[in-house]
Every structure is written in structure tokens, then in C-alpha cells.
Amino acid sequence: MLRSLSRVFSYVQAERNLKSAVLRSLWSAASVCSDFYLKPTMETKLYKPPQEVRGMTSLNKEAFTQTITVPALRVPNGVLNKVVKSLKKATIQRPGVPRVVQDEEGSSDFRLVLLDPHRISSLSSFSEGEAEALRSFSVVQELRHYELQLTYHNLKSDEVLEAVLPPGQDVPSGFSRVGHIAHFNLRDHQLPYKNLIGQVIIDKNPGVTCVVNKTNMIDTTYRYFKMEVMAGEENMVAKIKENGVTYEFDFSSVYWNSRLSTEHQRVVQLVKRGDTVFDVFAGVGPFAVPAARSGANVLANDLNPESHKWLQHNCKLNKVEKKVRTFNLDGRAFIQGPVKQELPVLLKGKAKVHIVMNLPALALDFLDAFRGLLPQELSCDENLPTVHCYSFSKEDDPDTDVVKRASCSLGFPLKDKCSVHFVRNVAPNKDMLCVSFTIPKEVLFSGDLGKTDPSEEPAPKRQKREEATDSSR
């Protein structure tokens, strides 16, 4: 009896092995045939724009419509979901294009699964796992052709812009998002297409309703670049959320940089409840407001009346107006006024004092305002203020450069008495850094240091500053 059962089992197993071998052979044969059949007709590039869109400056969406051929598999409805899941990396991924369509033969028992021609040009293009899944679901080993109509709405923004701009010209690769506003720095050769670029960005980025370009004109007094609207509404009042804090401001008349979110958070985390923060160049409050929310007492200043207005607004918006005193002064006047008045009492306490100076194009020049700020009789060794001062550098050794320039302005060597934190690269060979140090008592309580001889200044400071017209901070 056992021998009979063993013989039956062996026979069944042999039959299964033979069936699998036959299926593998058929699949392989189909692959060979498909290679020969599909290569001449399947395009590896999914979308080739019509020639008539080249050089277009006014957007005509209908001109981008094109019918292309993509590979497809005919799949029984019963295993459709399993097949789509197994072929997740092989199916077509295109905005607004379904992965599953009706069977061209009209059968209600089958659907066509559309495949990405970049991935699948023949049956042999499937990975081993994908091929095994198709065999297990008994999907017929045949790639079909499906005529797919692509419209403007199915294209990505870079595809549209690449099709429009002259050959060889670079496509705008990125922009800053500030609430509903997309902010570009277009190059000269892109300017003739600025309105079209703006409209494409609005169409392809949900939530963007205004696109602006930074012009070369800068407001020299309040140091913000003027904007021109490329497309969309002219509402420049943005509302954003950064690190859990809500801000509102007129983007056309104040400074804001979303790329500094991590840096704002880093410095605010150094501040403890009960500490005092002096924000010399506060802008609309990205340091001041979260510091106040963390329990610090804040004195925040900005020379720009619009920045000052929105700073006050954001304090109220985040319910910290009682923790923040705001000022509309020049940075030097703020240091030699409110900072000087508050420091004597603060130095007698135990809570720390932080002074934030985020105007990287010029902030180092303001450090000399701390020389002899307080009378000698108030001199102390403990609880001296910590300064966080930002700067740009184009030098090969940016850390050494900013320390030398800070030392020069302060009139005291800071080497080995400070730390330098890399913030971000703002342009090729141009870094933004933050130098942090405790103000030496020899500086804070003495009027004898005098001004540094200009001949002793580091070369980068003596040269004409391109940074003085840079809005990044």
C-alpha cells in the first residue's frame, strides 16, 4: 500500500515539474518573439513633444496633445489587484493616467494593465519576481500595444518647459515655496518665457496661486529684492507654518527664506525658559516668536517698518505679544540703546542672554557696537552674553575667514574662543555660516580698545562686498 502511494506521489510530482518546465519554455519563447516584435515599435521615451510647441511664449495646452504606444498586459479580473500589486514598479506612472483600462476586445472579464515603456520593452524586461508572479496568476505571456493619448495635463512641469525652451537652454530646476507663492530667480535667457513658466508652475503645483521672479533691483535701505508677478493673482501676503509656528507677511516688502527653517530651530533650541533673547535683525520673527513660545523674554528689532509691522502681527498671531518687545531701529542703535539698558540687570541674574544677529551680508560690521558698551564698574566674569552672528564667506577656508573678520570688528581675537556652524551653501563658492561666542569682558566693559586700523582688516572685508546686495540671510 505504501509503495503504491509512493509511486502515485512520484508520478504527480514529475507531472508538475514537466508542466513548470513547459511553462518556462513557453515564457522564454514568448520573450524572444516579443523582443523581435516590440523593439521596432515601442518608444523608450514616453513623450516626444510636437515641434510646434518649441519657442512658445503664450501657453497653448492643446498643442501638447499626442498619442503614443505603450505596452500592456491582458489580465483576468479575478487576479487584477494581485497582478497590479506585483507589477507596482513596472506599471505606468504618469499624472492623470490610469494604470488599468478597459479591455480593447470589449470583454468584461479582462482589463488591460498599462506598463511603463522605460521599464518594459519585452517580456524579458520583467524581473524574476514579476515573471514568477505572472506565471502563478496564469496571465497570458503576451505584450499588447495600447494607444494612449497624452495631454498637457498628463505632463510634468519639466517636460513642458523642456519642450518649449530652445534646445540646449537649461530649464528652471527649482523654486522656493512661500505659502501660496512660488519664487523664482530666472536667468536672462528664460525671461521671454516667464509668463508661460509661471502658468505651468501654477497648473502643476496644487496650492500655488502666484508665481514671482526676483528682479535685479534691490531696496538699498531695507534690503529686500523687488518682485515681479509672472502668473496668477497679485496677492503677496503669505501665510506659512514653520516648526509649528504660524507666520503671515507681505512677501514683496520683507525678507523670508524657507531654507533657514532648520537653522531657526537649531538656535531656538539653545534658548531655555527664562532666558533673554535680543534679536538685532529680527525680520518677521522666525527667531523671536518661537523663542518667546519656548518661554524666553525677547526684545526684537528690525529697521524695515514693514518687517516691524508683521513682526508685531506674528507675535499676536502666536499669542506671545506679552513676551516680546519690538523695536523699529537701526541695528547699531538697538545694541547701544535697548540692549545696553537691559544688560546691567540681566548680568546679575542666572538666566542666559542670547544675542542673535542674522544679517549675514553685514552683521559682522555691527560687532564693534559691543566695544565698551557697559561701564567698567559693572564688570563681571559670569553670565556674559552669547552672540550668534551670521556671515557669508567665499574663501577657501570659510571658518577661518569669518573668525578673523569677527575678531577684527570686535577688536579682540576669537580664535579658540568661538564655534562656527555651517548653515548652507547659498551659491557656488559662497557659504553662510554662524559664529557663536561669549562677548569677552575685555570688550564689553572697556572703552580703551578703540577702532581697528583699516590696514589690519582681512582682505575679504576690505574688498568691495558683493554680499552687501544679497538678500539671503
Side-chain angles (χ1 to χ4, degrees), residues 42 46 68-72 92 114-117 144-148:
M42 289 295 183
L46 188 59
I68 63 170
T69 301
V70 297
I92 195 166
L114 304 186
L115 305 172
D116 182 356
R144 294 174 174 246
H145 291 217
Y146 182 80
E147 299 297 310
L148 175 66

mmCIF file of all heavy atoms in Angstrom, residues 42 46 68-72 92 114-117 144-148:
data_model
loop_
_atom_site.group_PDB
_atom_site.id
_atom_site.type_symbol
_atom_site.label_atom_id
_atom_site.label_comp_id
_atom_site.label_asym_id
_atom_site.label_seq_id
_atom_site.Cartn_x
_atom_site.Cartn_y
_atom_site.Cartn_z
ATOM 1 N N MET A 42 8.073 50.069 -30.081
ATOM 2 C CA MET A 42 7.948 50.663 -28.752
ATOM 3 C C MET A 42 8.993 51.766 -28.555
ATOM 4 O O MET A 42 10.173 51.539 -28.739
ATOM 5 C CB MET A 42 8.141 49.612 -27.650
ATOM 6 C CG MET A 42 6.983 48.635 -27.542
ATOM 7 S SD MET A 42 5.461 49.451 -27.018
ATOM 8 C CE MET A 42 4.384 48.033 -26.900
ATOM 9 N N LEU A 46 8.825 58.201 -23.311
ATOM 10 C CA LEU A 46 7.365 58.145 -23.271
ATOM 11 C C LEU A 46 6.724 59.281 -24.048
ATOM 12 O O LEU A 46 5.722 59.099 -24.735
ATOM 13 C CB LEU A 46 6.891 58.165 -21.822
ATOM 14 C CG LEU A 46 5.409 57.922 -21.594
ATOM 15 C CD1 LEU A 46 5.000 56.571 -22.153
ATOM 16 C CD2 LEU A 46 5.083 57.975 -20.107
ATOM 17 N N ILE A 68 0.557 58.086 -28.087
ATOM 18 C CA ILE A 68 1.750 57.246 -28.071
ATOM 19 C C ILE A 68 1.347 55.793 -27.862
ATOM 20 O O ILE A 68 0.202 55.498 -27.494
ATOM 21 C CB ILE A 68 2.727 57.679 -26.957
ATOM 22 C CG1 ILE A 68 2.070 57.486 -25.582
ATOM 23 C CG2 ILE A 68 3.171 59.113 -27.132
ATOM 24 C CD1 ILE A 68 3.024 57.644 -24.426
ATOM 25 N N THR A 69 2.280 54.895 -28.113
ATOM 26 C CA THR A 69 2.040 53.467 -27.926
ATOM 27 C C THR A 69 2.781 52.978 -26.685
ATOM 28 O O THR A 69 3.976 53.227 -26.541
ATOM 29 C CB THR A 69 2.527 52.671 -29.146
ATOM 30 O OG1 THR A 69 1.843 53.141 -30.307
ATOM 31 C CG2 THR A 69 2.252 51.191 -28.972
ATOM 32 N N VAL A 70 2.039 52.306 -25.800
ATOM 33 C CA VAL A 70 2.657 51.754 -24.599
ATOM 34 C C VAL A 70 2.348 50.263 -24.502
ATOM 35 O O VAL A 70 1.321 49.801 -25.031
ATOM 36 C CB VAL A 70 2.157 52.465 -23.318
ATOM 37 C CG1 VAL A 70 2.530 53.930 -23.325
ATOM 38 C CG2 VAL A 70 0.654 52.289 -23.127
ATOM 39 N N PRO A 71 3.208 49.480 -23.861
ATOM 40 C CA PRO A 71 2.929 48.051 -23.694
ATOM 41 C C PRO A 71 1.844 47.816 -22.655
ATOM 42 O O PRO A 71 1.670 48.620 -21.734
ATOM 43 C CB PRO A 71 4.274 47.486 -23.229
ATOM 44 C CG PRO A 71 4.967 48.641 -22.583
ATOM 45 C CD PRO A 71 4.517 49.867 -23.305
ATOM 46 N N ALA A 72 1.110 46.708 -22.799
ATOM 47 C CA ALA A 72 0.032 46.387 -21.856
ATOM 48 C C ALA A 72 -0.102 44.873 -21.732
ATOM 49 O O ALA A 72 0.256 44.122 -22.643
ATOM 50 C CB ALA A 72 -1.277 47.000 -22.319
ATOM 51 N N ILE A 92 2.698 51.943 -15.576
ATOM 52 C CA ILE A 92 2.921 53.326 -15.975
ATOM 53 C C ILE A 92 2.629 54.269 -14.808
ATOM 54 O O ILE A 92 1.673 54.072 -14.057
ATOM 55 C CB ILE A 92 2.052 53.672 -17.214
ATOM 56 C CG1 ILE A 92 2.523 54.968 -17.864
ATOM 57 C CG2 ILE A 92 0.569 53.738 -16.856
ATOM 58 C CD1 ILE A 92 1.954 55.174 -19.258
ATOM 59 N N LEU A 114 -1.559 48.874 -18.034
ATOM 60 C CA LEU A 114 -0.597 49.647 -18.823
ATOM 61 C C LEU A 114 0.767 49.648 -18.151
ATOM 62 O O LEU A 114 0.876 49.860 -16.940
ATOM 63 C CB LEU A 114 -1.094 51.083 -19.009
ATOM 64 C CG LEU A 114 -2.485 51.246 -19.633
ATOM 65 C CD1 LEU A 114 -2.782 52.718 -19.904
ATOM 66 C CD2 LEU A 114 -2.608 50.433 -20.918
ATOM 67 N N LEU A 115 1.800 49.432 -18.948
ATOM 68 C CA LEU A 115 3.163 49.308 -18.431
ATOM 69 C C LEU A 115 4.025 50.494 -18.861
ATOM 70 O O LEU A 115 3.758 51.152 -19.867
ATOM 71 C CB LEU A 115 3.789 48.002 -18.930
ATOM 72 C CG LEU A 115 2.996 46.734 -18.614
ATOM 73 C CD1 LEU A 115 3.601 45.530 -19.327
ATOM 74 C CD2 LEU A 115 2.947 46.493 -17.098
ATOM 75 N N ASP A 116 5.053 50.744 -18.071
ATOM 76 C CA ASP A 116 5.978 51.828 -18.355
ATOM 77 C C ASP A 116 6.969 51.382 -19.435
ATOM 78 O O ASP A 116 7.764 50.467 -19.210
ATOM 79 C CB ASP A 116 6.739 52.198 -17.077
ATOM 80 C CG ASP A 116 7.688 53.360 -17.274
ATOM 81 O OD1 ASP A 116 7.820 53.848 -18.416
ATOM 82 O OD2 ASP A 116 8.308 53.781 -16.282
ATOM 83 N N PRO A 117 6.959 52.028 -20.610
ATOM 84 C CA PRO A 117 7.867 51.598 -21.676
ATOM 85 C C PRO A 117 9.345 51.827 -21.346
ATOM 86 O O PRO A 117 10.212 51.237 -21.984
ATOM 87 C CB PRO A 117 7.435 52.447 -22.879
ATOM 88 C CG PRO A 117 6.732 53.617 -22.291
ATOM 89 C CD PRO A 117 6.093 53.128 -21.036
ATOM 90 N N ARG A 144 0.755 43.524 -25.307
ATOM 91 C CA ARG A 144 -0.094 44.150 -26.311
ATOM 92 C C ARG A 144 0.290 45.615 -26.482
ATOM 93 O O ARG A 144 0.952 46.200 -25.636
ATOM 94 C CB ARG A 144 -1.562 44.040 -25.882
ATOM 95 C CG ARG A 144 -2.048 42.607 -25.862
ATOM 96 C CD ARG A 144 -3.445 42.505 -25.292
ATOM 97 N NE ARG A 144 -3.939 41.142 -25.414
ATOM 98 C CZ ARG A 144 -4.968 40.778 -26.179
ATOM 99 N NH1 ARG A 144 -5.612 41.683 -26.899
ATOM 100 N NH2 ARG A 144 -5.353 39.523 -26.236
ATOM 101 N N HIS A 145 -0.169 46.189 -27.586
ATOM 102 C CA HIS A 145 0.037 47.612 -27.840
ATOM 103 C C HIS A 145 -1.222 48.362 -27.428
ATOM 104 O O HIS A 145 -2.330 47.959 -27.770
ATOM 105 C CB HIS A 145 0.306 47.860 -29.321
ATOM 106 C CG HIS A 145 1.623 47.332 -29.773
ATOM 107 N ND1 HIS A 145 2.405 47.980 -30.687
ATOM 108 C CD2 HIS A 145 2.304 46.215 -29.441
ATOM 109 C CE1 HIS A 145 3.497 47.286 -30.901
ATOM 110 N NE2 HIS A 145 3.441 46.195 -30.158
ATOM 111 N N TYR A 146 -1.041 49.483 -26.713
ATOM 112 C CA TYR A 146 -2.203 50.291 -26.343
ATOM 113 C C TYR A 146 -1.940 51.729 -26.776
ATOM 114 O O TYR A 146 -0.894 52.313 -26.459
ATOM 115 C CB TYR A 146 -2.447 50.237 -24.835
ATOM 116 C CG TYR A 146 -3.671 51.013 -24.408
ATOM 117 C CD1 TYR A 146 -4.936 50.466 -24.544
ATOM 118 C CD2 TYR A 146 -3.548 52.298 -23.888
ATOM 119 C CE1 TYR A 146 -6.072 51.183 -24.173
ATOM 120 C CE2 TYR A 146 -4.674 53.022 -23.502
ATOM 121 C CZ TYR A 146 -5.937 52.463 -23.654
ATOM 122 O OH TYR A 146 -7.052 53.172 -23.293
ATOM 123 N N GLU A 147 -2.877 52.279 -27.523
ATOM 124 C CA GLU A 147 -2.749 53.660 -27.986
ATOM 125 C C GLU A 147 -3.220 54.591 -26.867
ATOM 126 O O GLU A 147 -4.408 54.620 -26.536
ATOM 127 C CB GLU A 147 -3.585 53.883 -29.251
ATOM 128 C CG GLU A 147 -3.181 53.008 -30.429
ATOM 129 C CD GLU A 147 -1.763 53.316 -30.877
ATOM 130 O OE1 GLU A 147 -1.440 54.502 -31.080
ATOM 131 O OE2 GLU A 147 -0.968 52.366 -31.017
ATOM 132 N N LEU A 148 -2.276 55.331 -26.302
ATOM 133 C CA LEU A 148 -2.562 56.185 -25.152
ATOM 134 C C LEU A 148 -2.434 57.655 -25.555
ATOM 135 O O LEU A 148 -1.409 58.073 -26.104
ATOM 136 C CB LEU A 148 -1.581 55.882 -24.019
ATOM 137 C CG LEU A 148 -1.662 56.776 -22.773
ATOM 138 C CD1 LEU A 148 -2.988 56.558 -22.047
ATOM 139 C CD2 LEU A 148 -0.492 56.487 -21.833
#
